[in-house]
DNA sequence: TGCAGCCTACTGGTCCGACCAGTGCACTAG
DNA sequence: CTAGTGCACTGGTCGGACCAGTAGGCTGCA
């Protein structure tokens, strides 16, 4: 026997215990979205801490996207429904701190997008397929309307696909990573010399993927989507890292 | 013309502007990990706000994993290197709020793991392959040593694979999702009646995957890994959702 | 009776000043 | 030269104060 092994009691600050309790109440369902927390002055009585402490705790909870408070609101802070905002934030930070290269982000998109397509090809409903059709139609219509509209239609297509995959985690991550990638290369895309040709090629690619999905051939659709994304983004990735992207092509 | 469209100026709180400035300094590289922020009393002079405001800002930055402060430290808060802790936290919340089912998490792991294996099969170095071999050897040795040791060896294997994929984002997401899944079913696994048989089957699966990677057959290795993970986890997933997992098998 | 407008009692946001328990460093006493 | 002791800081917490908002009840007019 080593004798009783005592853990070092790391000092736990007061506001942390407040955060903990509220967090458990929310995650445990005692507090559900839409409900209100007591006012700060009431909380400071219940927890018997000062208002500063209560407020620091609320700031943390707010940063985690769990609650929101509005000045002047006669009720206390509002418990929010979950939103991937916090996830989005931390992933964006990860990318911004330059820890992530564009190649890694694009590669991740290739993985997620093709997986979503594979799943959607097998699990989609007819209504969802129709939504995809109309999204591609929207892309066609947007060629003339300028680059912004085209981008939006493109995003709409991938959104439908992500929803059709039936996996919310894939959907959220795709959304997050896509917006990061688009922000990173927004100006480069706008300056592309042959924008219209790129758009038409992109539409052709989407039509091919869609056809494969309609036919129920998931693996083909997935393969086509990886190829399409490679063709679209490879130019923006430093040549040295392109081979790691090609490793995902068959 | 609609006339000039004015955006509603949503009230931006003082502490938010403090957060913003510090965040930009960190993400822009002006402040790099290991460096110290000025003390709270110094910050309140620089930003000309009260200490409460400074502290609320610091709480937010701390919640985002960007800084850490220690009581009594003669220097100010420390700028932290990026860690996926915040990512982990938000994804865990997402899972706890019951927004994410076990099936979705396992499915996501199947996608990420098989993609990492596909990439690793093509991009791995010989040293990394050797690490994988020894990880599997560790799994064999751990069968007798009990379930915890086996789990650790298993994790070690997948960690090497993730590193070998060359994609930090895949690596981080795998780590986060894996730990969430393992926590969700930890007790169920411990109670499994035929633990040893499961371990031996798992080892066989890993050996097959490893053989395919050694041979450079990425697609085969990826397919095997999806199958292996399905076999391992399907039992814990409600029957109704299993079909969505099978959609990833060929 | 009906409604427009004011009034009040709250809310959160910010500030100030104070105290405490830690920490590191310089200085002192041996 | 070193061991020990203060001191001057740090962050954590507290309490009180003021402000600009909001919502809902109340009043007074039509």
């Amino acid at each position: 026997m080593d004798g009783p092994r005592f853990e070092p009691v790391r000092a736990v600050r007061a506001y942390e215990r407040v955060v903990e309790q509220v967090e458990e109440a929310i995650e445990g369902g005692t507090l559900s979205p839409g409900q209100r927390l007591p006012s700060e002055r009431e909380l400071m009585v219940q927890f018997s801490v000062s208002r500063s402490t209560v407020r620091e705790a609320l700031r943390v909870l707010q940063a985690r996207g769990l609650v929101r408070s509005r000045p002047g609101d006669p009720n206390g802070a509002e418990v929010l429904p979950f939103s991937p905002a916090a996830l989005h934030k931390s992933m964006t930070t990860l990318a911004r701190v330059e820890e992530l290269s564009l190649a890694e982000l694009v590669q991740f998109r290739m993985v997620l997008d093709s997986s979503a397509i594979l799943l959607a090809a097998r699990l989609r409903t007819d209504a969802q397929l129709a939504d995809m059709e109309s999204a591609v139609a929207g892309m066609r219509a947007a060629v003339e309307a300028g680059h912004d509209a085209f981008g939006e239609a493109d995003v709409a297509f991938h959104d439908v696909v992500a929803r059709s995959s039936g996996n919310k985690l894939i959907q959220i991550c795709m959304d997050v990573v896509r917006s990061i990638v688009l922000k990173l290369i927004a100006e480069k895309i706008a300056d592309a010399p042959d924008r219209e040709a790129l758009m038409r090629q992109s539409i052709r690619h989407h039509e091919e993927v869609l056809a494969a999905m309609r036919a129920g051939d998931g693996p083909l659709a997935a393969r086509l989507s990886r190829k399409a994304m490679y063709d679209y983004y490879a130019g923006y990735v430093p040549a040295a890292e392109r081979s790691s992207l090609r490793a995902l092509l068959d």
Side-chain angles (χ1 to χ4, degrees), chain A:
Chain A
M1 249 322 225
D2 294 337
R5 275 195 278 134
F6 296 115
E7 292 185 356
V9 280
R10 65 179 177 78
V12 55
R13 276 143 267 189
Y15 78 90
E16 284 183 348
R17 273 171 303 180
V18 174
V19 167
E20 225 170 280
Q21 287 199 43
V22 178
E23 211 166 24
E24 278 174 19
I26 293 178
E27 290 179 355
T30 309
L31 283 168
S32 33
Q35 283 188 32
R36 301 311 190 98
L37 260 53
S39 74
E40 297 182 356
R41 289 165 176 86
E42 171 65 26
L43 286 174
M44 76 186 234
V45 175
Q46 291 193 23
F47 288 107
S48 57
V49 293
S50 74
R51 193 148 90 97
S52 328
T53 302
V54 168
R55 285 182 58 75
E56 290 186 23
L58 287 177
R59 286 285 90 83
V60 173
L61 291 168
Q62 183 172 319
R64 295 200 182 144
L66 293 177
V67 304
R68 174 182 53 181
S69 39
R70 205 166 39 104
D73 192 331
N75 302 310
E78 182 187 358
V79 178
L80 293 176
F82 179 84
S83 103
L87 195 69
H88 192 288
K89 186 80 194 165
S90 47
M91 223 178 251
T92 305
T93 306
L94 176 58
R96 272 244 263 291
V97 172
E98 217 57 60
E99 291 273 338
L100 292 180
S101 67
L102 178 61
E104 286 172 297
L105 290 164
V106 170
Q107 194 175 50
F108 199 75
R109 276 196 69 187
M110 287 173 73
V111 166
L112 285 189
D113 215 272
S114 67
S115 302
I117 284 176
L118 177 62
L119 287 169
R122 300 188 173 169
L123 306 173
R124 63 166 177 83
T125 65
D126 286 342
Q128 288 167 337
L129 185 65
D131 285 348
M132 297 180 207
E133 310 260 13
S134 62
V136 174
M139 291 175 70
R140 272 187 229 107
V143 172
E144 306 300 333
H147 187 271
D148 283 355
F150 184 80
E152 283 173 28
D154 184 29
V155 167
F157 175 82
H158 292 277
D159 255 352
V160 178
V161 171
R163 255 200 311 283
S164 308
S165 77
N167 190 312
K168 286 191 287 290
L169 190 50
I170 291 180
Q171 191 183 339
I172 292 170
C173 287
M174 272 181 64
D175 184 61
V176 169
V177 178
R178 182 210 306 136
S179 71
I180 296 174
V181 169
L182 289 182
K183 186 179 294 179
L184 277 181
I185 61 174
E187 63 284 3
K188 293 186 191 167
I189 280 195
D191 296 348
D194 43 4
R195 281 178 21 241
E196 197 172 317
L198 282 177
M199 292 190 220
R200 298 205 180 282
Q201 186 193 36
S202 173
I203 290 177
R204 201 165 49 250
H205 281 151
H206 281 74
E207 285 169 341
E208 288 172 11
V209 169
L210 190 51
M213 292 182 69
R214 201 182 302 114
D217 191 343
L220 173 62
R223 208 177 322 131
L224 287 171
S225 81
R226 285 193 294 269
K227 183 71 169 61
M229 198 171 295
Y230 176 82
D231 287 343
Y232 195 76
Y233 288 108
Y236 306 108
V237 171
E241 305 175 39
R242 260 176 237 160
S243 67
S244 67
L245 258 49
R246 275 196 299 273
L248 282 176
L249 306 179
D250 318 271

